[in-house]
Amino acid sequence: MRAGLGLVAIASVVLATGCAEEECTSNSECPTGYICVSACGPPAGRMCPQGNSCVQNPLTDADAGIDGGGGASDAAPADAGGTLGVACSAVTDSLDPNAVYFVGTLDESSAGYSVVASPDLSTIALGFPAGVAWDQASLRADGRLVFADAGGGLWLFTDDQEPDTADVSTCLYPLTPAQNDQGLVTSACTGSSPGQLLLAPDDAASYWYRCGSGFTWYDESGTEVGTLGTRTPLSLGPSGAALVTGDVPESPGDLLVHDAGGVESPAAGFSQEDSLVTYRARNDGFWVAVATTGGARELWTLSVGGAGTSQGSYPALPNGISFAAPAQGVRAVALDSTGALYALAIDSRQGTAVDAIVKLTAGGAAEVVYTEADGPAVTIAGGSLITAP
């Protein structure tokens, strides 16, 4: 387990389970054919200090459904009970906050094999509990992934390195993926779960959150953010600034910028007739992507002082590529740190429609950076895009 933000309240839950004496800390300490499993089990198994033991692996190498090479997958077992894994060289919990990743799966026929991967599959984070709210997941400034679980808890992801005893170059999907993830402190939420989290783009230790569906926001110390008034924060920006709105933002003209002192500046220069696509913090303000009434998509910068400046138009999609239909709970578009727009897409170039990801660079080219027409080991299966705020 790597150091990170802890949740003190977890300790009483874990100790109450009566864990037995620890026998192992990783699969490598177990005999061939056995794996290291927490006796506490999720959800109480999170951060369980002891009680791990070697048990016979119910998943056998003979059932293997996916190789670890990052290329085309083998035939997945019908019961999804195989030893699904990826190359250990790709597995990490420290992602690039400048980049965009997607949520995929190692097996579309079975729940419980979610991964977060780069479009070229060179970087993969695996080992997530069921029920993650992926449209709320985000990367901290240091590249660590924060996600909300089915119960509303906020967790700092820690990778689950589970090398196969028969092939140490392949990391298997863990049986208890949640046990080493670490809770974020949300001390202001007494009697309710956090309802939303915003991460600071320039400080891995800083974040705002609210409790349940409440309108009051708190910082990482539990102190109320008192400068918002009736505004709703959308994204944290550089040096304590925040992108806010007074209502559901439909147009970039609905945006306002609060500086660290609470001074509010309306977004200027945008057409109220255009539609807001997405946004992202940058070192002197925010990137803002908009869709014009004429059907074009444009990239803008928005300064902390509220000045909007056009940075050019995004190119049209390649022939045979279309944007994926919007879906509830799915983040279908995201900007990387350069302002390039990534979008979930449909690739029909070979006659059969398959999931894809397209990258559009303002004033530059349109690229298909991932397509299931290539037979990748990781498929999208309704996943979201993930990046830093």
Side-chain angles (χ1 to χ4, degrees):
M1 181 188 301
R2 302 186 183 181
L5 299 173
L7 187 62
V8 177
I10 288 292
S12 61
V13 177
V14 172
L15 297 180
T17 62
C19 294
E21 182 179 356
E22 187 168 46
E23 180 181 351
C24 59
T25 58
S26 67
N27 286 346
S28 61
E29 298 176 10
C30 296
T32 300
Y34 286 71
I35 56 175
C36 188
V37 175
S38 169
C40 297
R46 295 182 189 271
M47 300 168 60
C48 181
Q50 55 180 212
N52 296 336
S53 59
C54 295
V55 300
Q56 189 168 9
N57 189 352
L59 309 179
T60 64
D61 291 335
D63 293 329
I66 292 181
D67 59 32
S73 64
D74 301 324
D79 61 1
T83 302
L84 304 182
V86 298
C88 288
S89 59
V91 176
T92 182
D93 60 9
S94 184
L95 304 173
D96 181 0
N98 299 303
V100 174
Y101 298 84
F102 74 96
V103 179
T105 180
L106 299 183
D107 184 1
E108 290 191 34
S109 67
S110 177
Y113 292 112
S114 294
V115 302
V116 173
S118 57
D120 64 1
L121 303 186
S122 63
T123 303
I124 297 175
L126 80 164
F128 296 94
V132 172
W134 287 115
D135 60 326
Q136 299 181 41
S138 184
L139 299 181
R140 300 194 316 185
D142 61 358
R144 297 292 298 277
L145 176 64
V146 175
F147 66 90
D149 66 13
L154 300 174
W155 300 93
L156 179 66
F157 171 73
T158 301
D159 65 10
D160 296 88
Q161 291 277 1
E162 297 285 357
D164 188 347
T165 54
D167 178 8
V168 295
S169 68
T170 298
C171 281
L172 308 180
Y173 206 94
L175 293 179
T176 54
Q179 70 178 29
N180 64 348
D181 296 332
Q182 299 164 286
L184 267 66
V185 176
T186 53
S187 56
C189 297
T190 55
S192 64
S193 298
Q196 190 176 356
L197 176 77
L198 298 176
L199 301 176
D202 49 7
D203 184 351
S206 297
Y207 53 93
W208 291 2
Y209 63 93
R210 63 175 181 164
C211 303
S213 58
F215 294 99
T216 302
W217 288 78
Y218 305 90
D219 65 18
E220 66 279 355
S221 69
T223 302
E224 181 179 340
V225 180
T227 60
L228 289 173
T230 59
R231 303 304 189 189
T232 299
L234 302 173
S235 175
L236 300 188
S239 304
L243 189 66
V244 305
T245 184
D247 201 347
V248 178
E250 297 180 351
S251 165
D254 296 331
L255 301 175
L256 307 103
V257 183
H258 270 228
D259 66 17
V263 177
E264 181 178 285
S265 301
F270 297 95
S271 169
Q272 195 66 32
E273 302 302 317
D274 293 341
S275 300
L276 179 63
V277 176
T278 189
Y279 41 81
R280 179 193 173 109
R282 46 181 275 129
N283 57 7
D284 59 355
F286 299 89
W287 291 114
V288 179
V290 305
T292 69
T293 53
R297 287 171 172 78
E298 297 177 349
L299 175 66
W300 288 64
T301 56
L302 178 62
S303 72
V304 173
T309 305
S310 175
Q311 303 298 312
S313 297
Y314 289 109
L317 293 176
N319 292 334
I321 303 294
S322 58
F323 290 113
Q328 185 175 6
V330 173
R331 184 181 183 185
V333 292
L335 297 170
D336 69 13
S337 64
T338 69
L341 179 68
Y342 287 72
L344 298 180
I346 302 298
D347 182 357
S348 303
R349 293 175 297 178
Q350 297 184 19
T352 300
V354 296
D355 290 329
I357 299 173
V358 65
K359 174 185 177 183
L360 307 178
T361 301
E367 307 171 67
V368 178
V369 293
Y370 168 94
T371 176
E372 291 182 5
D374 294 336
V378 178
T379 55
I380 293 179
S384 290
L385 298 178
I386 293 177
T387 189

